[in-house]
Amino acid sequence: MEFEFETRAVHCGEDPSKSRLEKKSIVFDSLDDELRVIDGNSKQKLEKSIASLEHAKYGLCYPSGTAAVTSISMMVEDGEHVVIFDSVYHGTRTYLKIREGLGKVKVTFADLRDASVLENLMQDNTKMVWIETPCNPTMKIVDIAAIAKIVKRHGKAFLVVDNTFMSPYFQNPLLLGADIAMHSLTKYMNGHSDVLMGAAVTNREDLYTKLKETSKSIGSFPSPMDCFLCLRGLKTLHLRMERHSENGLKVAEFLEKHPKVEKVFYPGLKSHSQHELAKKQCKGFSGMVSFCVKGGLEEAKKLAARIKVFTLAVSLGGAESLMDVTAAMTASPLNKEDREMLEITDNLIRLSIGLEDARDLIADLDQALSGV
């Protein structure tokens, strides 16, 4: 029997037909089963649940999102080529640049909003293509299905999609042709700002086997308590994502009309240049909203200094609404030239819209903007 998303999320990969006694007790069917239960049962349940929500056969969890990035990227061997969407998370960019600097791999960064660009970038030794959509913090969208078709035509390459901003509730990369979907579970999946974790899911046994071997080799395992906390978070993922998205749209619409706002970036707005593509491959738009305040970095800092409900922080996806002055915070590791190339201007502010009443969030932004 195939269950709906909400049921799978609540029961965390377990069979809902089992009694509560069976679910809460340790049941030993064999000596092998005893070893399995003792050794990381929470981790196995979490991996099974995330795989289920992403329509995948296999799932693996890691102690951080960066650990997931590292483990996946380690499948690219010396001398092989990688194509990366230039607007992916800066940590992903940095790790691949380090490997390239060591002379291990060749990395091509490119704007893949036009999927056809990828066709001319694929080489005989291209092993991995990595995209993030929507991207952080400019909310650019990449056509996953179109990119996947090109990757599959080139045989040995595999496609990775960072699905952190959408969660499996709003977007399922594997159903659109991706080979691996990865997450920073720290964000929406856990949802309570108290866990640092990552995950990767796939339907390909060969990729799963390599990822599992790598995890064992480098000891990249999350703690049982973090797994337990993330399992707790998944039970309310669908409810939280609906509220994040509802609040996100209200805030984006308010900002779009404000006289002190230059531009708003939110895929759920009709004014977003890729709104139709977003509607095509996403079932919703989450709570990530970016905007440019009129002025520059000083005006952005003045705005941040006036907030009362929002918290100034670089994370995202929790119950609380957060504000990030991107040039000075999240994107500060990038030099100004790289930020400009990626369209991360000094006056860009990224919001992670939480679960509060949208009226309070709008009022807070309104009073903060009034002082700029």
Side-chain angles (χ1 to χ4, degrees), residues 287-320:
M288 299 307 300
V289 180
S290 293
F291 70 98
C292 293
V293 62
K294 287 184 177 178
L297 184 57
E298 288 308 309
E299 284 71 22
K301 288 181 177 179
K302 287 179 182 178
L303 172 62
R306 292 177 57 85
I307 56 174
K308 300 181 184 302
V309 179
F310 284 82
T311 300
L312 203 60
V314 298
S315 191
L316 60 99
E320 310 86 359

Side-chain angles (χ1 to χ4, degrees), residues 51-334:
S52 174
L53 299 181
E54 279 285 23
H55 300 273
K57 292 180 181 178
Y58 312 103
L60 285 170
C61 290
Y62 301 88
S64 69
T66 301
V69 171
T70 302
S71 184
I72 295 168
S73 300
M74 286 178 68
M75 291 193 292
V76 180
E77 300 177 359
D78 293 358
E80 293 183 322
H81 175 241
V82 176
V83 180
I84 306 288
F85 178 36
D86 60 9
S87 294
V88 299
Y89 167 61
H90 72 81
T92 305
R93 288 172 53 90
T94 300
Y95 177 75
L96 269 302
K97 280 187 173 181
I98 290 173
R99 287 203 66 190
E100 184 177 42
L102 294 172
K104 300 296 184 182
V105 299
K106 175 63 179 175
V107 182
T108 299
F109 294 95
D111 186 345
L112 299 177
R113 281 177 289 180
D114 178 356
S116 65
V117 170
L118 180 62
E119 196 71 64
N120 295 325
L121 299 177
M122 299 295 287
Q123 303 173 13
D124 291 340
N125 65 335
T126 301
K127 182 66 171 289
M128 179 174 73
V129 176
W130 190 298
I131 62 176
E132 177 182 330
T133 179
C135 75
N136 181 12
T138 54
M139 309 300 163
K140 299 172 186 174
I141 310 291
V142 179
D143 190 330
I144 299 173
I147 293 290
K149 288 179 181 178
I150 296 171
V151 173
K152 282 178 169 50
R153 285 202 295 268
H154 287 264
K156 69 175 185 178
F158 60 88
L159 172 61
V160 183
V161 178
D162 186 334
N163 200 29
T164 300
F165 266 28
M166 284 289 101
S167 89
Y169 183 67
F170 283 140
Q171 182 171 266
N172 298 119
L174 299 189
L175 295 183
L176 295 169
D179 297 295
I180 296 174
M182 68 81 54
H183 292 269
S184 171
L185 300 180
T186 310
K187 314 305 194 299
Y188 283 120
M189 299 283 270
N190 173 59
H192 292 75
S193 305
D194 56 5
V195 160
L196 189 66
M197 284 185 68
V201 299
T202 183
N203 282 317
R204 287 179 50 176
E205 186 175 4
D206 59 329
L207 296 180
Y208 170 69
T209 300
K210 289 180 180 179
L211 288 172
K212 193 171 184 179
E213 289 174 351
T214 300
S215 292
K216 289 182 178 179
S217 298
I218 64 177
S220 187
F221 301 111
S223 73
M225 177 55 72
D226 282 353
C227 291
F228 167 79
L229 291 173
C230 196
L231 279 165
R232 169 209 61 184
L234 289 183
K235 292 180 186 295
T236 59
L237 178 62
H238 51 291
L239 301 173
R240 291 186 286 105
M241 294 310 294
E242 288 288 351
R243 185 59 177 263
H244 285 303
S245 184
E246 177 186 325
N247 281 355
L249 180 59
K250 289 179 180 178
V251 169
E253 289 175 338
F254 159 76
L255 290 170
E256 193 171 40
K257 298 173 183 176
H258 201 284
K260 293 189 178 180
V261 172
E262 185 179 284
K263 190 173 183 180
V264 180
F265 306 91
Y266 185 68
L269 290 175
K270 293 180 180 179
S271 59
H272 190 285
S273 61
Q274 297 174 289
H275 176 66
E276 291 304 317
L277 173 59
K279 286 200 303 181
K280 177 182 174 183
Q281 68 184 21
C282 304
K283 291 174 285 188
F285 307 106
S286 84
M288 299 307 300
V289 180
S290 293
F291 70 98
C292 293
V293 62
K294 287 184 177 178
L297 184 57
E298 288 308 309
E299 284 71 22
K301 288 181 177 179
K302 287 179 182 178
L303 172 62
R306 292 177 57 85
I307 56 174
K308 300 181 184 302
V309 179
F310 284 82
T311 300
L312 203 60
V314 298
S315 191
L316 60 99
E320 310 86 359
S321 290
L322 308 178
M323 177 179 289
D324 173 86
V325 181
T326 307
M329 296 172 67
T330 303
S332 60
L334 302 175

Side-chain angles (χ1 to χ4, degrees), residues 39-57:
D39 183 16
N41 192 37
S42 292
K43 176 176 178 289
Q44 292 166 1
K45 286 182 179 179
L46 179 58
E47 290 170 343
K48 184 177 180 181
S49 179
I50 295 171
S52 174
L53 299 181
E54 279 285 23
H55 300 273
K57 292 180 181 178

